[in-house]
Amino acid sequence: MSSANHGNTPAAWTAVVVALLGFVVGGVGLMLDPVSFVVFWVGVAMVVGALVIFVAMDKMGLHE
C-alpha cells in the first residue's frame, strides 16, 4: 500500500462519504424529541459499514 495517492482513491472517498452520512444519521437520531435510538444505531451501523466497504473495495484493487 503506497501513500503516494494520499487517500485520493475511489475506496477512500466512498468510505468517507458513507461514514459521514452515518454520522449525520446518528446525529439526527440524537436530536429528535424523543431521542430515536433506532435511527442512532442505524447511523452507527453505517459508520461500521464504511469500514467494511473500504476493505472490500481495497481487495478489489480500488485503493491503489
Side-chain angles (χ1 to χ4, degrees):
M1 213 159 53
S2 172
S3 64
N5 58 34
H6 301 288
N8 291 324
T9 64
W13 277 101
T14 304
V16 167
V17 168
V18 172
L20 182 61
L21 288 173
F23 276 105
V24 169
V25 169
V28 167
L30 291 176
M31 290 189 296
L32 294 175
D33 188 30
V35 172
S36 175
F37 284 107
V38 172
V39 175
F40 169 75
W41 286 110
V42 167
V44 171
M46 288 175 70
V47 172
V48 173
L51 179 61
V52 174
I53 289 169
F54 176 77
V55 171
M57 289 181 78
D58 182 33
K59 290 188 185 293
M60 290 176 9
L62 295 171
H63 186 62
E64 295 179 4

